């Protein structure tokens, strides 16, 4: 088990030497092939930088449950080099795990390509987020200003989450989801003042089997198409008690 409590990570850098094809991920913390439960509690990640992925936190093939509680990611950067760089605040690439975020703040993080606040490529998992704020993050070149979420069979339940003031250069100013083959439920989630240049100022939803928006609000989001939401190739979409405002 990996437990990290009551710690601040400030102004750390993961760099890659010139001409090298390795290194540069996880500006503050890098977790790979751990095969153990991960508990992160009462932490701050501030102004950390990764040359590639995961400006604050990088997790790949941990293969166990991940619990992140009362943690703030502020002003972290996945700055970009000669490859796609994702997850300004957090980068997760995992299979067969349970991911639980409670009272997590993603604020003012930047990724060169995907997922200004959070990038998650997950399969055969459950992903719960509760009482969290995703604000002022940016994907400077591509998709998912606040969150970029993709791949596989994943059961998603997000409750009381705020997406506000996030920006993507291409699609999904607040949230980008693609190729999800299981249930996605967003309950009491608000999308306010997010923007992107192409599609889905608040949310861009592509190739999802079942997605429910319950008691959600879309307000003052902007995009070339679908200022509030852009839906592509989704099998079943349910919207109940949803407010869409200018």
């Amino acid at each position: 088990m990996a437990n990290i409590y009551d710690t601040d990570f400030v102004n750390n850098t993961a760099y890659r030497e010139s001409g090298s094809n390795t290194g540069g991920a996880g500006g503050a913390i890098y977790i790979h092939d751990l095969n153990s439960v991960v508990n992160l509690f009462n932490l701050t990640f501030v102004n950390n930088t990764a040359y590639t992925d995961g400006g604050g936190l990088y997790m790949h093939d941990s293969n166990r449950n991940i619990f992140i509680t009362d943690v703030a990611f502020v002003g972290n950067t996945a700055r970009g080099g000669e490859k796609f760089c994702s997850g300004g605040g957090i980068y997760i690439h995992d299979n067969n795990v349970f991911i639980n975020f409670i009272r997590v703040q993603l604020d003012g993080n930047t990724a060169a390509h995907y997922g200004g606040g959070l990038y998650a490529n997950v399969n055969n998992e459950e992903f719960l987020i509760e009482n969290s704020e995703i604000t002022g993050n940016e994907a400077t070149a591509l998709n998912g200003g606040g969150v970029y979420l993709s791949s596989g069979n994943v059961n998603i339940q997000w409750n009381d989450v705020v997406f506000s003031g996030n920006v993507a250069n291409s699609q999904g100013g607040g949230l980008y989801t693609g190729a999800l083959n299981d249930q996605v439920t967003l309950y009491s989630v608000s999308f306010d003042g997010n923007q992107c240049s192409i599609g889905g100022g608040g949310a861009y939803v592509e190739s999802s089997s079942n997605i429910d928006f319950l008691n959600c609000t879309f307000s003052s989001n902007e995009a070339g198409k679908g200022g509030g939401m852009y839906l592509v190739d989704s099998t079943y979409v349910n919207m109940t008690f949803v407010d869409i405002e200018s």
Side-chain angles (χ1 to χ4, degrees):
M1 180 178 293
N3 296 322
I4 304 175
Y5 298 157
D6 304 324
T7 305
D8 298 326
F9 297 88
V10 182
N11 293 328
N12 300 285
T13 301
Y15 68 91
R16 174 181 289 185
E17 293 184 0
S18 178
S20 173
N21 291 321
T22 61
I29 298 179
Y30 179 102
I31 298 173
H32 181 256
D33 200 19
L34 186 62
N35 290 315
S36 177
V37 174
V38 176
N39 286 305
L40 306 181
F41 177 75
N42 194 30
L43 310 179
T44 59
F45 294 78
V46 180
N47 295 335
N48 301 288
T49 301
Y51 182 89
T52 57
D53 301 312
L57 172 65
Y58 176 97
M59 292 187 289
H60 192 179
D61 292 340
S62 58
N63 299 320
R64 289 293 187 272
N65 294 343
I66 299 167
F67 298 92
I68 300 179
T69 306
D70 294 321
V71 177
F73 296 84
V74 180
N76 303 286
T77 304
R79 70 178 184 85
E82 67 271 11
K83 59 165 282 185
F84 288 119
C85 298
S86 304
I90 306 171
Y91 177 99
I92 300 175
H93 190 162
D94 260 309
N95 296 306
N96 305 310
V97 300
F98 174 75
I99 302 171
N100 189 1
F101 286 12
I102 298 177
R103 295 183 300 277
V104 171
Q105 177 189 3
L106 292 163
D107 180 49
N109 304 285
T110 303
H113 297 99
Y114 299 106
L118 166 67
Y119 173 95
N121 187 323
V122 293
N123 189 38
N124 297 326
E125 302 186 2
E126 291 190 33
F127 193 175
L128 172 66
I129 298 181
E130 294 183 304
N131 300 313
S132 296
E133 296 183 356
I134 301 165
T135 59
N137 304 285
E138 184 174 3
T140 57
L142 291 171
N143 305 327
V147 173
Y148 181 98
L149 179 63
S150 72
S151 187
N153 300 307
V154 56
N155 184 15
I156 293 169
Q157 177 80 43
W158 293 359
N159 305 319
D160 297 308
V161 178
V162 174
F163 289 84
S164 178
N166 301 288
V167 178
N169 186 59
S170 184
Q171 300 175 129
L175 170 66
Y176 178 101
T177 73
L180 303 178
N181 299 321
D182 214 328
Q183 179 65 42
V184 178
T185 302
L186 304 183
Y187 178 79
S188 193
V189 175
S190 66
F191 297 85
D192 178 64
N194 305 285
Q195 58 182 294
C196 65
S197 60
I198 299 180
Y204 179 98
V205 180
E206 180 180 2
S207 302
S208 297
S209 293
N210 297 287
I211 185 163
D212 292 314
F213 291 91
L214 308 174
N215 195 34
C216 294
T217 301
F218 292 80
S219 62
S220 302
N221 302 287
E222 298 180 4
K225 298 179 181 178
M229 185 190 309
Y230 190 106
L231 299 174
V232 183
D233 296 332
S234 294
T235 303
Y236 173 84
V237 178
N238 174 48
M239 302 180 72
T240 304
F241 299 115
V242 173
D243 293 328
I244 301 176
E245 306 169 358
S246 61

